[in-house]
Amino acid sequence: MQHRSFPPRERSLFSNGDRIGSEGSKRRRKTNNIFKELAQYRRQLGLPPAGSEADRSTIAKLEVSDRSFFGINSSSNPYSREITLRVNPITKTHAEADAFQQAADAGVGGGKARLIVDRDLCAACGIRGGVNSMAWQLGIEELEIITPSGTKTITVKPPKTRRR
């Protein structure tokens, strides 16, 4: 009986093109650990798990200048703070704004930063430029954004303003 040799099975690809395997699975484990930290913060606040039926909150973590700032959307935030950053009114109530405002209040900014959010960015924070605008105000030049859908790095640009 002759044994046939089959080519190795093609492994699945992550959305960014990485193969599941050595480097891809390391990156996946690192990302999972990041979300575990957000889940732990949720538990400390007494919030339900992200994505559960009872979940009505978003948690964000901004890492900038060797500091970390956890933010939560205003409807669930036990540490309510005024958002003085210039940003659209929808983003102003979101976890991302809370995290960026804490960094601004601490006088932290510049260089590269990372934003981790336990939900995908909404249109106001993402394509409408809320997160970019806040990053610009903190002097951040490059921002890595990690959400459940994946990772994206943006070069921060001056925010667009509305025509009057």
Side-chain angles (χ1 to χ4, degrees), residues 2-150:
Q2 188 176 22
H3 179 66
R4 291 190 347 175
S5 176
F6 293 98
R9 287 180 52 187
E10 188 67 26
R11 292 182 169 173
S12 300
L13 295 176
F14 289 118
S15 60
N16 65 1
D18 287 337
R19 301 222 178 271
I20 296 175
S22 61
E23 197 59 37
S25 57
K26 285 179 192 172
R27 187 173 291 131
R28 172 73 104 196
R29 281 192 301 272
K30 186 176 179 182
T31 301
N32 286 340
N33 288 338
I34 288 168
F35 288 115
K36 283 181 184 177
E37 189 176 12
L38 296 184
Q40 180 181 355
Y41 185 69
R42 279 179 165 275
R43 283 191 299 277
Q44 289 174 355
L45 295 174
L47 297 172
S52 68
E53 194 165 315
D55 178 30
R56 301 284 180 261
S57 303
T58 303
I59 301 294
K61 179 184 177 190
L62 178 65
E63 298 172 347
V64 59
S65 301
D66 296 325
R67 302 264 316 265
S68 295
F69 302 92
F70 283 88
I72 182 170
N73 56 306
S74 62
S75 64
S76 303
N77 197 336
Y79 313 109
S80 176
R81 75 189 87 256
E82 181 182 5
I83 305 299
T84 58
L85 293 168
R86 288 184 47 97
V87 67
N88 68 66
I90 295 171
T91 297
K92 207 171 238 195
T93 65
H94 290 188
E96 297 90 331
D98 186 37
F100 275 97
Q101 186 64 53
Q102 290 176 58
D105 292 348
V108 175
K112 294 182 180 184
R114 179 162 68 167
L115 178 68
I116 304 116
V117 187
D118 64 5
R119 291 186 195 272
D120 292 339
L121 298 186
C122 70
C125 291
I127 62 171
R128 301 261 189 271
V131 165
N132 178 80
S133 174
M134 293 183 293
W136 176 263
Q137 292 172 70
L138 267 61
I140 294 169
E141 298 163 6
E142 185 177 282
L143 180 64
E144 178 184 26
I145 303 168
I146 302 172
T147 69
S149 291

